Amino acid sequence: MKKKFFKVSQTEQFLKIDANQLKRILNKYLNISTEYDVLKSVELWFNHDPENRKNHMVSLLKIIRLPLISAQVNTFHMILIKHAILKIIEYTVFEL
């Protein structure tokens, strides 16, 4: 899983794991992928079942080292990332 984290994160099996399993994976393997790939994986996981996963997003986003993403992607991707994070936070906060 270490070398293929992002590829594995796109599988149906990954999308079905619960939040606690995802937190354990992110805490264990966070240093092996780019932070951008980790964020995209969490976004994919969230979008698979947003209604049932919205309460877990704040704790998941805290695991991701967001400041490192800016060094790994260009400005356009940063805009998309900020938009995705704001969308997740908006959905999480206003849908509770």
Side-chain angles (χ1 to χ4, degrees):
M1 177 123 161
K2 285 186 177 186
K3 294 181 181 177
K4 300 178 182 178
F5 176 76
F6 188 66
K7 188 173 183 176
V8 169
S9 73
Q10 296 176 350
T11 65
E12 191 69 24
Q13 183 179 1
F14 179 86
L15 296 175
K16 290 181 179 181
I17 64 174
D18 66 37
N20 289 327
Q21 289 174 305
L22 181 56
K23 287 176 193 177
R24 281 193 300 273
I25 290 169
L26 294 179
N27 280 319
K28 186 173 184 177
Y29 296 111
L30 195 60
N31 62 344
I32 53 86
S33 284
T34 66
E35 297 303 312
Y36 179 72
D37 286 349
V38 174
L39 177 62
K40 291 302 293 175
S41 298
V42 170
E43 182 183 12
L44 289 169
W45 179 85
F46 171 77
N47 287 332
H48 188 71
D49 188 7
E51 186 61 35
N52 291 314
R53 295 176 174 178
K54 62 185 175 187
N55 295 331
H56 303 286
M57 289 310 298
V58 172
S59 62
L60 288 168
L61 288 174
K62 286 181 181 180
I63 296 171
I64 301 168
R65 297 173 293 192
L66 295 173
L68 297 180
I69 292 175
S70 62
Q72 298 169 347
V73 298
N74 63 34
T75 305
F76 176 73
H77 283 105
M78 280 307 299
I79 293 169
L80 293 177
I81 290 166
K82 288 178 183 177
H83 177 73
I85 292 170
L86 288 174
K87 180 180 163 189
I88 290 169
I89 291 170
E90 179 181 302
Y91 188 88
T92 302
V93 173
F94 294 114
E95 294 292 325
L96 292 178

